[in-house]
């Protein structure tokens, strides 16, 4: 019970820090508005092909609908990774040292911090779901619950990744540059803003796209996270429906263990 109280205290501290950070809230609102209401609507007319003189969409959805689950992932990626900057903050001002010398195991301290970042990231993901009506996306209560489960796994995995980055970068400036260098390539190579046609074989796909791009997309774990969200909210998958949840669980485990290893060395 003492450990649970300590985890709760660290979790609550992370939440209070996020609530007081108005810049993070502004970013969490402005990003989905930019992508959903501006880019989604602006690029929607170009998200189509022409077959035998008949105009059709590349996938059976509008571009606005197609990128909607990806915007959820994007908003959570920024929030999850950026929330790990608290590790640098606590290290700079001595709070982390005081916590680490407490009787609590370091795994419990780390879990509390990551759980706090996951909660904040989940909230930012829900902010995107509020725009579902504007994107013409409808889903059932069951899909809502499944989506929340996937979002929790994604937030936990990415917050753990952010802690791994924060343990290796010692300055606020360096963390900002390095985290963006991680987030943007992961997002743009996750089939988030353009689809790999699911009806094509790999041989046919590499004719349309460069082989290196197909490799990056298929090797990127965020690809399968975004695909899992599309499967829940749009009932559309480019890959096997089980790959997304399984890879998210694997990411949670691998990134948490990597963060814990660094934490124990601190």
């Amino acid at each position: 019970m003492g450990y649970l109280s300590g985890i709760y205290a660290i979790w609550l501290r992370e939440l209070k820090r996020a609530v007081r950070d108005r810049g993070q809230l502004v970013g969490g609102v402005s990003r989905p508005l930019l992508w959903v209401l501006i880019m989604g609507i602006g690029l929607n007319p170009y998200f189509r092909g022409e077959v035998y003189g008949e105009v059709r969409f590349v996938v059976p959805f509008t571009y606005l609908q197609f990128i909607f689950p990806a915007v959820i992932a994007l908003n959570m990626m920024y929030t999850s990774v950026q929330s790990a900057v608290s590790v640098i903050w606590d290290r700079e001002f001595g709070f982390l040292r005081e916590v680490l010398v407490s009787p609590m195991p370091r795994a419990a301290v780390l879990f509390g911090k990551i759980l706090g970042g996951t909660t904040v990231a989940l909230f930012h993901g829900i902010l995107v779901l509020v725009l579902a009506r504007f994107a013409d996306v409808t889903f059932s209560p069951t899909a809502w619950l499944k989506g929340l489960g996937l979002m929790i796994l994604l937030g936990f995995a990415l917050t753990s990744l952010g802690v791994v980055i924060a343990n290796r970068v010692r300055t606020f400036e360096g963390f900002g540059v390095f985290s963006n260098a991680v987030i943007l390539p992961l997002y743009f190579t996750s089939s988030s803003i353009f689809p790999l046609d699911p009806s094509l074989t790999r041989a046919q796909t590499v004719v349309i796209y460069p082989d290196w791009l197909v490799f990056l997309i298929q090797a990127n774990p965020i690809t399968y996270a975004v695909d899992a969200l599309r499967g829940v909210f749009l009932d559309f998958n480019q890959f096997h429906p089980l790959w997304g949840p399984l890879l998210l669980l694997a990411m949670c485990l691998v990134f948490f263990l990597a963060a814990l290893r660094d934490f124990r060395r601190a």
Side-chain angles (χ1 to χ4, degrees):
M1 290 301 297
Y3 291 160
L4 290 177
S5 298
I7 291 173
Y8 171 76
I10 294 173
W11 170 82
L12 185 61
R13 181 175 181 269
E14 296 298 314
L15 257 62
K16 288 182 176 180
R17 184 200 301 273
V19 169
R20 293 168 182 168
D21 188 355
R22 295 183 179 179
Q24 193 177 74
L25 180 60
V26 171
V29 173
S30 62
R31 273 190 301 270
L33 288 176
L34 173 66
W35 281 88
V36 173
L37 297 183
I38 298 179
M39 292 194 66
I41 294 175
L43 295 177
N44 193 60
Y46 302 98
F47 192 66
R48 58 187 179 184
E50 192 167 326
V51 181
Y52 302 115
E54 179 184 353
V55 175
R56 68 175 181 88
F57 287 104
V58 178
V59 294
F61 302 98
T62 65
Y63 188 61
L64 193 56
Q65 292 170 327
F66 180 78
I67 68 169
F68 182 76
V71 176
I72 296 175
L74 176 66
N75 220 30
M76 293 189 65
M77 286 174 70
Y78 268 102
T79 307
S80 299
V81 176
Q82 291 297 329
S83 65
V85 77
S86 65
V87 174
I88 299 177
W89 181 277
D90 292 343
R91 186 170 56 228
E92 286 286 327
F93 294 96
F95 179 81
L96 184 62
R97 182 172 60 253
E98 295 176 3
V99 172
L100 292 181
V101 298
S102 69
M104 279 187 63
R106 297 197 174 190
V109 175
L110 176 64
F111 184 73
K113 292 187 73 66
I114 292 178
L115 199 60
T118 302
T119 306
V120 177
L122 180 63
F123 171 72
H124 283 243
I126 293 174
L127 286 178
V128 183
L129 289 178
V130 174
L131 299 174
R133 184 171 63 87
F134 297 98
D136 197 22
V137 175
T138 57
F139 41 83
S140 64
T142 302
W144 168 271
L145 292 177
K146 290 180 179 179
L148 287 182
L150 292 172
M151 289 159 65
I152 290 171
L153 291 177
L154 179 61
F156 190 91
L158 291 174
T159 305
S160 300
L161 175 61
V163 173
V164 172
I165 297 173
N167 283 326
R168 286 166 167 74
V169 180
R170 296 291 174 175
T171 64
F172 295 106
E173 297 80 5
F175 181 85
V177 172
F178 194 76
S179 61
N180 280 323
V182 171
I183 292 173
L184 293 179
L186 282 176
Y187 180 71
F188 285 113
T189 59
S190 64
S191 189
S192 55
I193 57 176
F194 58 86
L196 293 180
D197 194 331
S199 66
L200 302 180
T201 64
R202 177 175 175 82
Q204 293 171 322
T205 301
V206 297
V207 172
I208 301 175
Y209 297 104
D211 195 14
W212 60 267
L213 181 58
V214 176
F215 171 77
L216 288 177
I217 291 173
Q218 294 180 343
N220 185 354
I222 304 300
T223 297
Y224 305 96
V226 173
D227 188 64
L229 290 173
R230 285 200 181 106
V232 169
F233 293 124
L234 298 180
D235 195 22
F236 173 77
N237 290 100
Q238 297 182 89
F239 304 95
H240 194 284
L242 289 179
W243 289 7
L246 290 177
L247 278 172
L248 280 172
L249 286 171
M251 288 168 60
C252 288
L253 179 61
V254 171
F255 290 146
F256 180 80
L257 290 178
L260 181 59
R261 182 194 60 188
D262 293 340
F263 227 60
R264 283 175 173 167
R265 293 175 178 175

